[in-house]
Amino acid sequence: MLLLALDTATPAVTVALHDGADVVASSSQVDARRHGELLLPAVDRLLAEAGLRLDAVTGIVVGVGPGPYTGLRVGLMTADTFGLALGVPVHGLCTLDGLAYAADLPVPFVVATDARRKEVYWARYTDSRTRVGGPAVDRPADIADQVAGLPAVGAGALLYPDTFPDVHAPEHVTAAALASLAAERLAAGEELPEPRPLYLRRPDAQVPKNYKVVTPK
């Protein structure tokens, strides 16, 4: 097994290789505006560092969000393209699940990432592998009662200390965590989700309503 994992659902552009037993190599860069520019060079660099060729990959793992439309689709389209070119399966994983897995907290907790518009993408977990609520997108003040007393993980939680006063690492998801979680579930015989995006809301860019027609009669 050689899994190539990637995620662009958050400001982190993150890539990893996993051989079924451990992470072979990983890379993460935080830059919310350069997903498309950074992702493929990161894949090339990681393969070179590991002394491997792309055709050695036996499966793709991609974070499906939730996340902003533009960033999220970079990773999903890249994963689909690799899968088609290599003839290998493409597996999806919730980005918040990757954060939860990396946090590895021994108590129930919540994961929250920045959804912009003064909102967060969030989900609740009983442990690092078990999601029991979400994912959803809400204003932090609107979910304060639901997350009260729970530790929080993620960059979204750091933005709203009134709702999430107890924040733990990591801040951003890593492909290494996604790859490790995927390898664990595949080894257990679990079927991973399809690589379909969790947008949770419409894109920011929309066609204006009632715009004025200026073509000649």
Side-chain angles (χ1 to χ4, degrees):
M1 175 189 292
L2 182 65
L3 297 176
L4 169 63
L6 49 97
D7 192 293
T8 58
T10 74
V13 180
T14 179
V15 182
L17 293 168
H18 197 291
D19 64 6
D22 205 350
V23 175
V24 176
S26 64
S27 170
S28 293
Q29 296 171 269
V30 178
D31 193 328
R33 298 181 181 274
R34 300 175 65 206
H35 291 101
E37 180 181 345
L38 296 174
L39 182 58
L40 289 178
V43 173
D44 288 341
R45 184 172 63 253
L46 230 60
L47 288 167
E49 289 175 2
L52 297 167
R53 291 167 51 91
L54 183 60
D55 58 12
V57 171
T58 61
I60 311 293
V61 178
V62 60
V64 299
Y69 179 82
T70 302
L72 181 53
R73 68 179 178 175
V74 170
L76 286 163
M77 291 303 297
T78 301
D80 280 343
T81 301
F82 279 148
L84 287 171
L86 298 172
V88 299
V90 181
H91 308 289
L93 277 181
C94 176
T95 297
L96 303 184
D97 289 355
L99 272 161
Y101 185 83
D104 195 25
L105 293 178
V107 295
F109 62 98
V110 60
V111 172
T113 60
D114 183 15
R116 305 172 186 171
R117 302 185 191 175
K118 298 181 179 179
E119 295 179 330
V120 293
Y121 297 117
W122 68 286
R124 289 181 58 177
Y125 295 81
T126 55
D127 56 53
S128 62
R129 293 168 175 80
T130 310
R131 174 161 35 99
V132 292
V137 58
D138 289 288
R139 288 181 176 268
D142 294 340
I143 61 171
D145 290 343
Q146 299 179 60
V147 302
L150 294 176
V153 173
L158 288 169
L159 294 173
Y160 303 99
D162 288 344
T163 300
F164 306 103
D166 181 17
V167 183
H168 296 250
E171 183 175 346
H172 298 294
V173 69
T174 66
L178 284 171
S180 297
L181 177 59
E184 182 180 296
R185 290 181 173 175
L186 289 170
E190 296 183 33
E191 185 173 339
L192 298 183
E194 294 290 319
R196 298 292 176 261
L198 291 170
Y199 292 129
L200 300 189
R201 67 184 183 202
R202 297 180 63 83
D204 292 338
Q206 298 184 30
V207 176
K209 296 180 180 179
N210 303 319
Y211 57 87
K212 185 178 179 180
V213 177
V214 294
T215 53
K217 295 181 179 179

